[in-house]
Amino acid sequence: MSPGRRNDSFAGDSHVGLVRSGNEDAFLVAPPLFAVADGLGGHHAGEVASSTAIDTLLEAAPRAADAKSLGRAVRRANTAVIQAAESGLGRSGMGTTLTAAMVDGTRIAVAHVGDSRAYLLHFGELQQLTQDHSMVADLVRQGQLTAEESRHHPNRSVITRALGSDPNMLVDTFEIEAADGDRLLLATDGLTSMVDDDRIEQALGSEPTPQAAVDALVDSALTAGGHDNITVVVVDIGKASAGNGQRIAAVKQPGANRSALWLLWVLAAIAIVAGAVWSANSYARTQAYLISENGMVMIYEGVPGDFAGISMSWLSEETTLSASSLDVVTANRLAAGIRVDGLEQAHALLEEYRARTTGEPPSAPAP
Ligand code: MG
């Protein structure tokens, strides 16, 4: 169990979950500044993207809870992620969400890109403060999906805005006036795709401390299956900025996951030498990914790259969809490869992409 980050008035924790081999999320608790980031890109690149964003946010953050200034800091973080990819740190096509909040008494400034979320428990009632920049959120806004359907949609993790690709990326920024005793929650989709709003409201409303609320929410996501990395930050409003704007030392998600990931790879390699190629192969057969090659979208069965020198992917279909017909975020993600759970999801995602280029609504996903 990870030790978490605690104080009486705020807490944060990140858990790798039960399915992923590495943790690409990152978080920051540096009162009055709090943030979560969910990296994407695979092959360690997601970790580089999310940690670069968090580091830059901390350096560039304003001293006051001013949303416009906080938005500028998020744009600086975007530039830093793009530069990191260009300089060979990480990979091109890597990206990250970033949801940041600055708390001054009961005033909260928020800056946000992607599908991580900020919520406020306001007088006991849960309010989602941010709007997801994701394909399913667009479909919900258009009335084509319900919020509950979006939670189970095969393309729920496809985001339409992220740090790391567009130098002119838009940042949502706003300020709200909360009340003494309210609770702020920042979370990656590893929580919100596994745990519904009722449970989140109940945990935030009943747990006595932010640390207890963080632990309860992480446990709920794990109990629900822990399909993704889970990152949760909880802040009690009215207490967090008791230091009168003075920032305490930042506590960030440590890089320990990177060495853990290396250890996993070493263990995996030993397992292969011991004759466990079969199990790696069986796992790969349950996976699929879309990738652009020579400008066209290809569907592969398996996982990208190689595993201890052995390729674990098999071309399944050369599609007729051109990557350049898609938006730049998607095209960049396709260049790096977009992993999904199996060929069925790969075809559903392809349908969505085709629909975007034709303006037709996508055919309904398989039940
Ligand atoms: Mg995630």
Side-chain angles (χ1 to χ4, degrees):
M1 180 78 192
S2 137
R5 309 294 163 206
R6 71 181 64 217
N7 178 283
D8 285 350
S9 58
F10 58 85
D13 201 1
S14 187
H15 194 290
V16 69
L18 300 175
V19 174
R20 302 284 168 98
S21 59
N23 193 343
E24 299 194 312
D25 284 359
F27 71 93
L28 178 69
V29 285
L33 179 63
F34 303 90
V36 297
D38 181 345
L40 45 106
H43 292 267
H44 312 298
E47 283 171 78
V48 175
S50 61
S51 61
T52 301
I54 290 285
D55 289 347
T56 310
L57 176 74
L58 181 62
E59 283 165 24
R63 297 232 153 250
D66 172 64
K68 290 270 173 294
S69 310
L70 190 59
R72 274 195 291 277
V74 171
R75 278 192 289 277
R76 286 263 299 274
N78 179 46
T79 306
V81 176
I82 292 172
Q83 286 171 349
E86 286 170 355
S87 69
L89 199 66
R91 281 160 40 118
S92 75
M94 72 179 183
T96 184
T97 72
L98 185 57
T99 301
M102 236 174 147
V103 180
D104 178 10
T106 53
R107 186 169 189 75
I108 306 172
V110 177
H112 160 72
V113 176
D115 68 349
S116 301
R117 291 182 183 169
Y119 287 88
L120 187 70
L121 188 77
H122 184 54
F123 295 120
E125 197 172 297
L126 190 71
Q127 300 175 354
Q128 186 177 329
L129 301 178
T130 50
Q131 294 218 330
D132 294 351
H133 303 133
S134 71
M135 185 193 288
V136 290
D138 287 349
L139 292 173
V140 171
R141 282 191 283 273
Q142 291 161 16
Q144 296 187 34
L145 278 185
T146 65
E148 187 54 30
E149 284 166 349
S150 74
R151 205 187 295 286
H152 307 288
H153 195 277
N155 299 337
R156 61 189 175 275
S157 58
V158 176
I159 58 176
T160 51
R161 221 193 282 178
L163 281 72
S165 55
D166 177 3
N168 302 310
M169 176 196 76
L170 292 172
V171 183
D172 288 356
T173 57
F174 55 89
E175 288 166 26
I176 58 161
E177 193 61 42
D180 239 346
D182 283 358
R183 251 180 195 170
L184 174 72
L185 165 70
L186 307 179
T188 59
D189 67 336
L191 176 74
T192 56
S193 66
M194 305 301 301
V195 179
D196 64 23
D197 285 1
D198 287 348
R199 169 63 190 139
I200 292 174
E201 180 179 274
Q202 192 246 333
L204 289 177
S206 63
E207 295 297 341
T209 63
Q211 185 64 53
V214 166
D215 291 345
L217 289 170
V218 170
D219 283 348
S220 292
L222 291 172
T223 304
H227 291 173
D228 194 3
N229 307 144
I230 307 149
T231 301
V232 181
V233 169
V234 173
V235 184
D236 276 352
I237 298 304
K239 294 178 179 174
S241 56
N244 200 17
Q246 232 178 8
R247 191 173 291 171
I248 67 157
V251 182
K252 294 182 288 173
Q253 168 69 350
N257 289 305
R258 207 160 300 184
S259 52
L261 201 61
W262 270 111
L263 181 61
L264 271 175
W265 275 105
V266 169
L267 289 173
I270 291 169
I272 279 185
V273 172
V277 174
W278 179 84
S279 66
N281 194 288
S282 316
Y283 168 73
R285 289 280 180 189
T286 68
Q287 300 293 299
Y289 63 97
L290 278 71
I291 195 164
S292 56
E293 288 176 358
N294 302 321
M296 303 307 287
V297 178
M298 305 286 163
I299 296 179
Y300 278 81
E301 188 181 4
V303 292
D306 54 50
F307 188 79
I310 300 166
S311 170
M312 286 286 164
S313 64
W314 306 269
L315 181 62
S316 170
E317 185 183 339
E318 298 182 27
T319 79
T320 54
L321 181 67
S322 135
S324 61
S325 63
L326 296 160
D327 64 278
V328 70
V329 171
T330 308
N332 275 323
R333 292 190 60 212
L334 278 167
I338 298 177
R339 285 184 59 176
V340 290
D341 291 330
L343 284 173
E344 193 179 324
Q345 286 193 13
H347 285 111
L349 186 54
L350 181 75
E351 275 292 302
E352 295 275 358
Y353 288 163
R354 268 197 211 289
R356 281 201 226 167
T357 63
T358 61
E360 298 279 318
S363 58

